[in-house]
Amino acid sequence: MKHLKGIILIVTGAMLWGTTGPLTEWLLKHSGMTVNFLLTVRLLVAGIAILGFLQLTKKPVLEVWKTKYWGRQLVIYSIAGMLGLQYSFTITIQESNAVFATLLQFLGPLFIVAFTSIKVRMWAPRYQVIGIIGTLVGLFFLLTNARFDELLVSKEALFWGLILGITFAIYTLYPVHLMSEWGVLLVVGWGMLIGGIVLGMGTFIWQSEEWILLADMKIFLILASIIFFSTIAFVLFLSSMKYISPVLTSILSTMEPLTAMVISVVVFSTSFGFWQVIGIFLMLTCVTWISVASEKAEKYNQTDS
């Protein structure tokens, strides 16, 4: 029963997160709202909501700031990890579309493999190399529809997509000790709040003329949905880890880009060529395989030792 509960949690969370991409794309391309304004409001509201929830449940929200070491770690994570990931993800949507951005975020494990190999000064295992090559072939199909003379996204989208992969690796690897010491929700809540404050102060959010856009009920509801879905999705994702293995979590997380693709096609009439669809499924298969094989190799090494 707990296994089924975990599956329901991760699938629901992945689908909710996949939904935020197309909604964000609509806001950026049809409402006149900028990346800076949308992201500042999203981070501030989500951060306050998470920390407020923790405060209501009697968690020591301010305790992390009593030690300079942890406070410094949290600030670095908030800016380089949380804000970096969210900003590059949102601007990649603006420069391309939700499916492209979601898939590049899903490619995070490739950058983590590369970073780990450089750190330990060893080549990645053969299965990881094969998985990376397969993923890059899929990415080529997605970007070109198998035509060597045509690139279907802008150079700006490729640049921010690369930054997205790098910041995903930072977001995943850097806060491991922080989260084990203080809990995931606390770290993420502060990360969102600090990221929102930094971005808001840097863009003088209080002087923005975009506040008037929130008077439009349609725009307000879509923005509220993005904030709600993304926050709940993260909580569901974390909760699922108590009941199912990381391998199954990785496999079921493919629902995220698939949901973004279905919504983009059905609701927003986004079209994909035959080879682009092949590329998407090849990317998802290879990234999932890397995650599954890495988990099995880790368990084997632990057993062998």
Side-chain angles (χ1 to χ4, degrees), residues 37-205:
F37 183 84
L38 188 157
L39 193 54
T40 300
V41 174
R42 176 179 176 176
L43 287 173
L44 287 175
V45 173
I48 292 172
I50 292 175
L51 293 176
F53 169 77
L54 292 175
Q55 185 66 43
L56 288 175
T57 55
K58 308 299 183 181
K59 296 293 190 300
V61 174
L62 300 176
E63 195 75 21
V64 66
W65 297 106
K66 293 183 178 180
T67 306
K68 288 184 178 180
Y69 173 79
W70 292 118
R72 185 169 59 249
Q73 295 279 310
L74 188 53
V75 170
I76 294 173
Y77 161 73
S78 301
I79 298 174
M82 177 63 74
L83 179 57
L85 174 66
Q86 296 282 355
Y87 189 85
S88 56
F89 177 71
T90 308
I91 204 166
T92 302
I93 291 178
Q94 176 180 267
E95 296 296 336
S96 54
N97 57 58
V99 175
F100 180 70
T102 306
L103 282 167
L104 284 187
Q105 177 186 266
F106 197 74
L107 294 181
L110 272 65
F111 291 90
I112 294 173
V113 167
F115 174 80
T116 304
S117 298
I118 293 172
K119 184 178 179 180
V120 301
R121 297 180 181 179
M122 290 179 61
W123 285 102
R126 183 181 301 175
Y127 70 85
Q128 290 184 346
V129 174
I130 295 173
I132 289 173
I133 293 173
T135 304
L136 293 178
V137 170
L139 181 60
F140 169 76
F141 287 155
L142 175 66
L143 297 179
T144 65
N145 199 31
R147 292 185 58 179
F148 288 90
D149 60 341
E150 184 178 11
L151 189 64
L152 302 179
V153 297
S154 66
K155 293 180 180 178
E156 289 78 12
L158 283 177
F159 170 78
W160 283 108
L162 176 62
I163 299 299
L164 174 58
I166 295 171
T167 54
F168 183 92
I170 296 173
Y171 174 86
T172 304
L173 296 174
Y174 185 82
V176 171
H177 296 303
L178 256 176
M179 291 181 173
S180 63
E181 181 74 19
W182 296 99
V184 177
L185 277 182
L186 181 71
V187 173
V188 170
W190 277 115
M192 288 181 169
L193 182 59
I194 295 171
I197 291 173
V198 170
L199 183 59
M201 292 181 65
T203 57
F204 302 99
I205 188 70

